[in-house]
Amino acid sequence: MPTDAPQARAVLLQPSQPWHTLHAGPSLSSSASSKELLMKLRRTTGYSFVNCKKALETCGGDLKQAEAWLHKQAQKEGWSKAAKLHGRKTKEGLIGLLQEENTAVLVEVNCETDFVSRNVKFQQLVQQVALGTMAHCQNLTDQLSTYSKGFLNSSELSELAAGPDGEGSLKDQLALAIGTLGENMSLKRAAWVKVPSGFYVGSYVHGEMQSPSLQNLVLGKYGALVICQTPEQITNLEEVGRRLGQHVVGMAPLSVGSLDDEPGGETETRMLPQPYLLDPSITLGQYVQPQGVTVVDFVRFECGEGEQVAEAE
């Protein structure tokens, strides 16, 4: 579990005009029950003693109202900070992978430093983006006879509703995270895949980290989805899908290619004639064919890849 959350939260103690100077209200009594409320609010929200005390005073000791008041103040501070930090480069961050039944999503959320990418608050933002993308995909009512694949850019992601644990849009959650952690951040992109019966989505995340608090979300610096057609039940399908995802991450193909393609070398950009990452003595096509699956498409995300290209140019 990252240990920098208290440092990150300290950002909220240093707005240009501290929260506790913005409102006046009756003093919170020093009874045992009031202290218990204060400690509970601190545990629930992670905000400072001063801000939690002010929230309870402002809201007459109502815990739910105090929590909402704190989030509202943090949101205001976040929008202000986001405006100040806009334009600063965000080439670090994380790729998030989320799979539910026949749907898989990949998202990329960026920040300025690797230090912040390891903070649980940032990782919770990635989770909100993945859940929001998943909900968007599952709400699409297309009848699947084959697989479907879609992409969302930064502005499209920003307008999505936040996941079930968040309020407002993903844009609101982004501002809240910026205000909390004090770095510029961006919702870069997302991809989703839905498959009907007879298809399977293999997946892989490199540099994988997983937290029990983040449900089924898998985080890392690279991610891949590989769409396979599987006419028969295959016992080791999950392992085959994982290996195909590893190959896509490691070899970075640009297209699928064909089983009929001549074997290529290290510069080959078609997936199937590439040397198989885990056994370069054969091609990926030669690995796949005996497994009883047909590779039909893939998605590959590398964290910060657009920023790196722009910087090189």
Side-chain angles (χ1 to χ4, degrees):
M1 180 68 66
T3 57
D4 47 313
Q7 296 172 346
R9 293 182 189 122
V11 174
L12 290 173
L13 302 184
Q14 302 168 354
S16 56
Q17 195 174 10
W19 299 355
H20 58 273
T21 66
L22 298 180
H23 298 267
S27 295
L28 191 67
S29 70
S30 57
S31 66
S33 61
S34 297
K35 289 179 180 178
E36 188 178 328
L37 276 176
L38 181 57
M39 293 306 296
K40 188 171 183 180
L41 187 60
R42 286 200 71 192
R43 282 196 302 271
T44 304
T45 64
Y47 294 124
S48 71
F49 175 87
V50 172
N51 288 333
C52 288
K53 185 172 184 289
K54 186 65 215 171
L56 286 167
E57 288 175 351
T58 302
C59 300
D62 187 298
L63 199 62
K64 285 189 177 179
Q65 286 186 23
E67 188 172 341
W69 184 88
L70 282 167
H71 284 311
K72 188 175 180 181
Q73 298 307 310
Q75 194 86 58
K76 287 180 183 176
E77 177 64 18
W79 282 117
S80 171
K81 193 155 286 183
K84 292 175 184 175
L85 298 178
H86 181 71
R88 280 165 53 166
K89 289 183 179 178
T90 54
K91 56 185 179 180
E92 295 294 336
L94 289 170
I95 304 296
L97 164 71
L98 186 63
Q99 288 185 271
E100 291 183 8
E101 298 178 351
N102 68 333
T103 306
V105 303
L106 275 181
V107 301
E108 179 179 356
V109 182
N110 298 124
C111 55
E112 295 181 48
T113 64
D114 185 58
F115 178 75
V116 161
S117 76
R118 297 174 184 278
N119 187 292
V120 70
K121 292 289 187 185
F122 180 80
Q123 293 172 4
Q124 286 168 346
L125 174 63
V126 181
Q127 180 189 36
Q128 289 286 351
V129 176
L131 289 169
T133 303
M134 179 65 75
H136 167 77
C137 180
Q138 291 177 337
N139 286 337
L140 300 174
T141 56
D142 48 341
Q143 296 295 316
L144 291 179
S145 58
T146 184
Y147 76 94
S148 63
K149 179 178 75 170
F151 295 90
L152 296 168
N153 62 28
S154 180
S155 59
E156 291 167 333
L157 267 180
S158 296
E159 298 305 321
L160 292 185
D165 297 329
E167 296 179 0
S169 67
L170 290 179
K171 182 168 53 180
D172 296 324
Q173 295 299 314
L174 175 67
L176 189 59
I178 290 173
T180 303
L181 297 175
E183 276 197 9
N184 192 25
M185 299 173 197
S186 60
L187 312 179
K188 185 170 183 181
R189 55 180 171 167
W192 53 265
V193 172
K194 290 176 77 174
V195 296
S197 176
F199 285 79
Y200 179 78
V201 184
S203 63
Y204 175 71
V205 170
H206 185 69
E208 180 178 319
M209 47 180 130
Q210 210 161 6
S211 166
S213 65
L214 298 180
Q215 298 181 21
N216 297 322
L217 184 73
V218 184
L219 300 168
K221 295 294 186 180
Y222 300 79
L225 303 175
V226 183
I227 304 156
C228 306
Q229 198 163 5
T230 57
E232 301 172 4
Q233 287 289 90
I234 299 169
T235 54
N236 62 336
L237 192 54
E238 186 174 342
E239 179 59 24
V240 171
R242 176 179 168 80
R243 291 187 177 197
L244 292 174
Q246 282 180 295
H247 179 92
V248 169
V249 164
M251 298 298 286
L254 301 178
S255 62
V256 174
S258 165
L259 290 173
D260 298 327
D261 291 334
E262 288 293 321
E266 291 182 2
T267 59
E268 177 61 67
T269 60
R270 294 166 300 172
M271 182 178 174
L272 292 172
Q274 283 181 325
Y276 176 35
L277 180 70
L278 303 180
D279 181 2
S281 67
I282 60 173
T283 66
L284 184 75
Q286 289 168 338
Y287 164 71
V288 164
Q289 201 165 18
Q291 307 297 332
V293 303
T294 302
V295 177
V296 294
D297 206 347
F298 64 87
V299 178
R300 180 185 186 273
F301 276 9
E302 177 179 343
C303 188
E305 58 189 336
E307 292 285 341
Q308 291 166 5
V309 170
E311 204 169 71
E313 290 173 351

